[in-house]
Amino acid sequence: MTQQHKRRAVDGILLLDKPLEFTSNGILQKVRWLYQAQKAGHTGALDPLASGLLPICFGEATKFSQFLLDTDKTYLVSARFGIRTDTSDAAGEVVSTRPVAFNQQQLELAMQAFRGDILQVPTMFSALKYQGQPLYKYARQGITVPREARPISIFRFELLALRQSSEQTDADFIVHCSKGTYIRTLIDDLGEALGCGAYVSALHRTQVGPFQAEAMQPLPKLEALAAPCHQSRDFSTLDQLLLPLDAALHGLEALTLSAEQQRRIAHGQSFGCELPDAEAVRLYSAEQQFLGIGKREQGELKPRRLLSTNKQ
């Protein structure tokens, strides 16, 4: 490999509008190639049949991707009623068809049971593991394994439209939920509550933590910008689309360190801090340069995830 084709050290967060029919890892590798980035990771997978907001972390930003994995998310969801599939989405095999006999009032009444703090049994077609293997591997072999119900929160579950004809019944929803929520399972459970079955026919993510759909970058735009960048090896136009390393952390408390405190933290040392305990605190230099994440515990501030010293 020649020097000019070596991957670059790129740091930052790209808010990608993931297109349909790509796996999250597939689109990650494509965008990583467009940026010629050495290191990249996504923050919460979307199925190939799902589109929308997929934050991609480059370089040092991957150290803080867990904060996006653990945050709340919002989706626009379309569901088809009267049909149940084994994957609870349009990609699955039909396992039952039943008549639809509800009206809008009955649908909205059934939705009430799925708001707030609830328990959800994850779908077999998920990446959760049982005895070291993802559940979807068992599901593809026709094997069902025990899954424990997990606590989730549905902050908003709103009906946007209901379309009923003699042939089919479809509905559109907006769902704002906590981490760990399976939208396919939510719709499947709603269909069972109504006695007719349902599956997700379309899914589009519009929010991840502090990030909103308005800031998403579509793949065709990235491809158009990347072509001249690859020729000139000047990637500044693509890099301008990246958010700073701390963009995902704005909900966390910020703390400015003195030069001595910064030195201690950089060497992996803690120091006294007379403030309440906190699992994660953003750390900045006196010049407001982002240093990483610290943890306050029992009167001390300790380093948790820091940027490489050559990034500070």
Side-chain angles (χ1 to χ4, degrees):
M1 181 180 294
T2 61
Q3 181 68 28
Q4 67 172 359
H5 292 109
K6 283 185 176 178
R7 294 291 179 98
R8 305 184 303 134
V10 186
D11 300 303
I13 301 171
L14 176 73
L15 302 185
L16 176 70
D17 185 358
K18 177 195 166 297
L20 294 170
E21 299 179 355
F22 280 91
T23 65
S24 291
N25 187 61
I27 196 66
L28 166 69
Q29 298 307 326
K30 184 172 184 63
V31 171
R32 183 184 169 210
W33 179 83
L34 291 175
Y35 268 84
Q36 290 291 287
Q38 290 175 355
K39 185 178 182 181
H42 65 70
T43 58
L46 284 172
D47 296 332
L49 292 178
S51 62
L53 182 52
L54 182 67
I56 291 181
C57 295
F58 291 107
E60 291 286 281
T62 59
K63 292 182 176 179
F64 313 105
S65 59
Q66 189 63 42
F67 290 91
L68 290 174
L69 290 169
D70 291 344
T71 195
D72 59 301
K73 300 170 179 69
T74 300
Y75 300 87
L76 295 176
V77 189
S78 295
R80 177 153 294 175
F81 291 88
I83 302 172
R84 193 183 195 195
T85 72
D86 58 357
T87 59
S88 304
D89 64 13
E93 299 290 328
V94 174
V95 294
S96 70
T97 57
R98 285 170 279 175
V100 177
F102 64 81
N103 57 29
Q104 181 168 334
Q105 184 179 8
Q106 291 168 322
L107 172 57
E108 293 189 327
L109 184 63
M111 290 168 61
Q112 291 180 12
F114 298 95
R115 296 190 181 108
D117 298 332
I118 64 173
L119 292 174
Q120 185 182 72
V121 178
T123 172
M124 278 297 299
F125 284 86
S126 72
L128 293 176
K129 291 187 176 179
Y130 176 78
Q131 296 182 347
Q133 290 291 326
L135 291 181
Y136 63 78
K137 289 194 174 182
Y138 293 101
R140 288 169 182 167
Q141 299 172 53
I143 301 171
T144 300
V145 301
R147 289 104 67 208
E148 288 189 10
R150 306 195 308 170
I152 61 168
S153 296
I154 306 295
F155 308 113
R156 183 184 179 191
F157 188 16
E158 180 182 339
L159 177 65
L160 299 178
L162 176 62
R163 300 178 296 282
Q164 291 181 296
S165 69
S166 57
E167 285 97 30
Q168 61 193 43
T169 297
D170 297 279
D172 300 328
F173 306 92
I174 186 167
V175 180
H176 178 202
C177 56
S178 66
K179 70 169 184 174
T181 301
Y182 287 94
I183 301 297
R184 289 176 293 155
T185 299
L186 177 68
I187 295 302
D188 181 72
D189 289 345
L190 177 63
E192 292 307 290
L194 289 162
C196 60
Y199 68 85
V200 172
S201 55
L203 185 65
H204 183 73
R205 189 156 64 193
T206 60
Q207 173 255 330
V208 176
F211 302 136
Q212 302 292 330
E214 294 77 15
M216 293 191 300
Q217 304 295 336
L219 181 62
K221 175 183 176 180
L222 297 177
E223 290 175 323
L225 291 175
C229 292
H230 282 234
Q231 290 181 344
S232 66
R233 306 307 295 175
D234 177 2
F235 288 83
S236 56
T237 53
L238 278 176
D239 291 347
Q240 288 171 9
L241 301 177
L242 299 180
L243 300 178
L245 295 172
D246 58 346
L249 309 172
H250 284 179
L252 300 180
E253 178 188 351
L255 192 64
T256 299
L257 305 185
S258 68
E260 175 58 21
Q261 290 170 335
Q262 182 179 340
R263 186 193 67 78
R264 292 181 65 88
I265 284 289
H267 286 84
Q269 301 170 358
S270 60
F271 58 84
C273 185
E274 300 300 323
L275 290 170
D277 287 1
E279 278 297 309
V281 183
R282 286 180 290 150
L283 305 179
Y284 293 88
S285 68
E287 298 76 31
Q288 290 306 296
Q289 187 174 17
F290 179 58
L291 305 173
I293 295 294
K295 177 180 180 179
R296 282 203 307 259
E297 188 176 45
Q298 298 179 338
E300 285 196 323
L301 182 74
K302 305 174 182 179
R304 183 171 163 183
R305 297 302 298 273
L306 301 179
L307 300 186
S308 299
T309 52
N310 60 351
K311 303 291 183 184
Q312 298 176 15

